[in-house]
Amino acid sequence: MVTAGGKQLGGAAGSREDLLHLRRAWAEWLRLPEAERKPRAVSVGEPGPVDSALAPPEPPPGGLILKQYYRTLAREAGQLRHAETRDFVHNYAMAKDPTNPYRIAEIANCIKNPAFFEAHPDFAWLTEAEWKSLLPARPARGDAAQVPAAIRERLFRFHLVPAMAFNASNGWQRKEVRGGSLTLTVEEVTPEKVRLRLEGFALLGADCDTAQEKVRENKRSWGYEPWLLGYLEYNPQRMQITRFDVVALGDTYGMLLGDLRYFYRPGRQPLGVAFELVSPDVAANRVPPRGAKGPRLYRPYFATGR
Amino acid sequence: MLRTPWVWLQAMALGGFVTGVGAAAPPAAKPHGEPISSEQFAALRELIRPAPGESRWAEIPWLLSVYEARKRAAEEGKPILLWSAGGGAPPIGGC
């Protein structure tokens, strides 16, 4: 916690002591003289120059922002449910192995934390030209077409990435996209609304047999093979998208190395991803996509399909 | 059967059509299991999205700019709660 004038309160919080630090910081704030705490007590000047090469990217003007959630799932009695700590306990033996070089004890704590199993967010950006290319000029029920390669590749490489469910990732490399398809079909046409159904699948990373073989050799290899289904709605008079709900569900398998080894589950395991349209007017919705979070990654993010 | 070339034409205009990435896979290469049915859609979406009571931090109207936060804190006479993270624990999306 800090003051508008830049005074730090309570020290930097650690992940296991957040509440303690917040209480201490709040107490320090209350101990400050009233003259420092009252409204307009601090004058904030104009911001200094910003190095554009280091500034976080802004959403493309007129573009679309989709918020997405990754959810680690499990199968039980033929049903899907949220994954829980018990789905990862097989890895505790690794945590107790003194020869293991990784920060396994820390990661073991992570898996005990219920927040680990919550829906993990990310954002997807489409340019104005891209989202408009999804809308047929003269929609007729039953018409269908493939989603443009630029959008398909971006969704596949940067937004169907299992590591995002528990860590960071720069996404799949282009060569790791083994195949897939995304089709739009016109389902309903009225003067006020056109509804499109989006469906398809993606084959990402290694195939399951290859990944399992690599795991037996203690090597990094993994994949994700989701089916996708979604619904887009737009106002044909205003050419404005009002709904962009898409879900992806498929098996992830294989193993990453290093710290990420702890998140391994044997066999095929379900992972769900959901996308929805959000407003660019909310500041928190303007966080850059995790696959485009730096200048080095921003260019390839928008170079998909080329 | 694809009958309408609406996307195809515009995708070509964007210069993004001809690529091997994501090209149609052979018929046998499909994900394990069945495609998602329209009957499954709503329940699956709810299963994936945050459940009630989860991710309460996301209900806070976060600002992304420290400068904007300083201006607002000064105007309202409040302290600033800074939250940043690296690696795989992004506070509100990206690192």
Side-chain angles (χ1 to χ4, degrees):
Chain A
M1 194 177 286
V2 295
T3 68
K7 183 180 290 183
Q8 189 176 355
L9 302 168
S15 60
R16 300 169 71 181
E17 299 170 314
D18 286 343
L19 283 178
L20 181 64
H21 278 276
L22 279 178
R23 290 194 182 99
R24 188 183 304 155
W26 182 248
E28 282 187 29
W29 166 257
L30 293 176
R31 282 199 297 272
L32 290 177
E34 173 68 16
E36 289 186 38
R37 288 190 286 126
K38 66 181 182 183
R40 292 177 290 283
V42 175
S43 175
V44 178
E46 292 301 311
V50 176
D51 184 343
S52 59
L54 299 175
E58 285 286 320
L64 220 57
I65 300 178
L66 305 177
K67 188 166 189 176
Q68 69 170 125
Y69 298 98
Y70 288 91
R71 176 77 79 167
T72 306
L73 300 170
R75 291 189 183 90
E76 185 170 301
Q79 301 289 319
L80 288 170
R81 61 166 172 78
H82 294 165
E84 301 170 3
T85 299
R86 62 184 161 118
D87 299 311
F88 291 83
V89 292
H90 56 275
N91 287 333
Y92 282 169
M94 197 188 309
K96 293 175 182 171
D97 179 357
T99 65
N100 195 305
Y102 306 112
R103 295 176 294 114
I104 293 300
E106 292 176 28
I107 299 165
N109 284 327
C110 177
I111 288 181
K112 289 175 187 169
N113 185 344
F116 172 75
F117 303 104
E118 293 187 352
H120 288 234
D122 196 4
F123 294 92
W125 287 352
L126 300 181
T127 67
E128 184 173 12
E130 286 169 346
W131 69 256
K132 285 185 173 174
S133 75
L134 295 170
L135 313 184
R138 288 174 294 282
R141 193 174 173 192
D143 283 355
Q146 289 285 329
V147 168
I151 299 173
R152 190 177 59 217
E153 184 191 340
R154 188 170 313 138
L155 292 177
F156 286 2
R157 287 182 55 203
F158 298 105
H159 298 287
L160 295 172
V161 184
M164 298 291 199
F166 51 80
N167 208 280
S169 172
N170 292 343
W172 299 104
Q173 295 178 41
R174 182 170 278 192
K175 64 184 179 186
E176 292 179 297
V177 180
R178 286 185 289 117
S181 168
L182 280 183
T183 305
L184 281 167
T185 305
V186 179
E187 278 202 336
E188 179 187 345
V189 180
T190 70
E192 297 79 27
K193 183 178 78 177
V194 176
R195 186 175 73 237
L196 310 175
R197 186 177 72 248
L198 184 151
E199 56 193 340
F201 66 94
L203 302 170
L204 305 167
D207 65 81
C208 188
D209 289 344
T210 301
Q212 305 288 25
E213 190 177 327
K214 296 282 186 186
V215 167
R216 284 192 288 275
E217 298 168 1
N218 211 23
K219 292 179 179 172
R220 175 194 188 277
S221 181
W222 72 334
Y224 183 41
E225 296 184 345
W227 293 99
L228 292 99
L229 178 66
Y231 298 94
L232 283 65
E233 292 177 358
Y234 68 98
N235 182 314
Q237 294 161 23
R238 298 179 185 169
M239 290 302 277
Q240 183 180 41
I241 290 191
T242 55
R243 181 187 184 196
F244 202 122
D245 289 335
V246 178
V247 295
L249 176 67
D251 289 339
T252 183
Y253 43 78
M255 183 172 70
L256 294 175
L257 298 182
D259 293 353
L260 304 183
R261 190 187 297 243
Y262 200 82
F263 301 105
Y264 170 68
R265 287 189 291 170
R268 293 177 173 272
Q269 300 292 344
L271 174 71
V273 186
F275 297 84
E276 62 192 31
L277 187 66
V278 293
S279 169
D281 298 331
V282 176
N285 290 340
R286 299 171 69 86
V287 172
R290 290 158 72 181
K293 60 181 180 287
R296 189 173 57 83
L297 296 170
Y298 186 67
R299 201 166 296 140
Y301 184 83
F302 282 110
T304 52
R306 297 178 197 163
Chain B
M1 183 72 179
L2 302 177
R3 293 192 287 115
T4 304
W6 88 72
V7 172
W8 294 21
L9 295 174
Q10 294 183 51
M12 290 172 76
L14 286 170
F17 182 67
V18 182
T19 172
V21 175
K30 294 279 179 68
H32 187 73
E34 296 297 317
I36 304 165
S37 69
S38 53
E39 291 74 23
Q40 290 175 292
F41 180 80
L44 180 58
R45 182 170 177 270
E46 288 311 302
L47 183 69
I48 297 168
R49 297 183 74 256
E54 271 189 356
S55 304
R56 298 290 311 276
W57 55 268
E59 298 170 18
I60 296 170
W62 297 97
L63 298 175
L64 303 186
S65 158
V66 173
Y67 177 71
E68 293 299 325
R70 288 185 63 211
K71 281 204 304 185
R72 189 155 156 192
E75 180 66 25
E76 298 181 8
K78 294 178 179 175
I80 301 166
L81 175 61
L82 277 173
W83 191 16
S84 65
I92 49 176
C95 301

